């Protein structure tokens, strides 16, 4: 799969400054839950927007229940970063909040097949070796934070 900006589809609320959340969800083998997002045309950790008046941690809990059907018991915020993106010459700032899920109830499953073509668990080493264009900005940001612990293809 090759990245092509023309294949990306955006919602109106993606093209304004906003906050988003992402969750690192492991299975019992310490593999990471990834979704192949149809609009992004790439693999991503579960992600979503923070609604107006919502706290990032609450948004993450809601998104994980909506997307993969789990109830978060405990989590740890591991990254907060503001990033700037350019879409059609317009600068957009996204505050990215990434959490590691420490404990949850339920079995992860793809609850939004209209948005996610596939849900699959990957070893961290597999993700580290994926081509950059095949993974989302959220996933990339998290993997870069691990860079000192792994040999990555950059």
């Amino acid at each position: 799969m090759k990245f092509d900006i023309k294949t990306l589809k955006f919602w109106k609320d993606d093209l304004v400054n906003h906050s988003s959340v992402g969750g690192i969800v492991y299975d019992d083998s310490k593999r990471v839950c990834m979704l192949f997002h149809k609009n992004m045309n790439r693999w991503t950790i579960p992600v979503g927007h923070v609604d107006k008046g919502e706290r990032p941690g609450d948004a993450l809990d809601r998104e994980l229940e909506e997307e993969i059907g789990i109830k978060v018991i405990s989590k740890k915020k591991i990254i907060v970063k503001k990033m700037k993106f350019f879409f059609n010459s317009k600068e957009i700032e996204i505050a990215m909040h990434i959490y590691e899920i420490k404990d949850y109830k339920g079995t992860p499953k793809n609850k939004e097949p209209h948005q996610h073509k596939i849900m699959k668990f990957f070893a961290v080493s597999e993700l580290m070796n994926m081509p950059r264009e095949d993974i989302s900005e959220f996933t990339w940001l998290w993997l870069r934070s691990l860079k000192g612990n792994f040999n990555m293809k950059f």
Side-chain angles (χ1 to χ4, degrees):
M1 172 183 52
K2 287 294 175 194
F3 173 72
D4 180 357
I5 193 71
K6 295 175 199 151
T7 65
L8 295 178
K9 300 175 188 120
F10 299 100
W11 301 109
K12 189 170 75 172
D13 59 346
D14 291 328
L15 301 176
V16 296
N17 294 344
H18 64 277
S19 292
S20 289
V21 292
I24 310 301
V25 178
Y26 297 101
D27 67 4
D28 292 337
S29 300
K30 292 299 280 178
R31 295 175 303 166
V32 180
C33 180
M34 297 290 290
L35 299 162
F36 190 85
H37 199 289
K38 291 179 179 180
N39 286 354
M40 288 186 215
N41 196 32
R42 46 174 87 176
W43 289 100
T44 185
I45 59 175
V47 297
H49 284 250
V50 177
D51 292 338
K52 189 173 184 168
E54 190 175 36
R55 294 182 307 186
D58 295 336
L60 179 72
D61 294 350
R62 175 183 49 76
E63 288 290 345
L64 291 177
E65 194 158 353
E66 289 172 3
E67 291 188 0
I68 62 172
I70 64 169
K71 179 162 179 45
V72 175
I73 305 301
S74 66
K75 60 187 173 284
K76 178 182 177 186
K77 189 181 278 193
I78 56 174
I79 298 172
V80 177
K81 184 166 180 86
K82 288 186 177 179
M83 298 185 74
K84 292 184 181 188
F85 298 92
F86 292 89
F87 297 102
N88 298 329
S89 301
K90 181 180 178 188
E91 182 179 283
I92 297 163
E93 185 175 89
I94 302 173
M96 300 173 136
H97 303 260
I98 301 178
Y99 293 80
E100 183 176 53
I101 308 309
K102 298 293 191 178
D103 191 21
Y104 61 89
K105 285 186 181 176
T107 302
K109 58 186 168 283
N110 184 2
K111 289 191 62 179
E112 296 185 327
H114 59 286
Q115 288 187 10
H116 308 117
K117 187 175 183 179
I118 304 166
M119 186 193 91
K120 182 178 176 184
F121 284 87
F122 289 90
V124 172
S125 59
E126 290 177 280
L127 296 172
M128 294 284 189
N129 288 306
M130 274 189 182
R132 169 62 187 96
E133 61 268 14
D134 289 355
I135 56 175
S136 72
E137 297 303 322
F138 260 100
T139 307
W140 175 254
L141 181 61
W142 170 64
L143 288 171
R144 286 200 49 169
S145 76
L146 302 177
K147 186 177 178 183
N149 301 325
F150 293 89
N151 292 321
M152 295 181 70
K153 283 185 171 179
F154 287 115

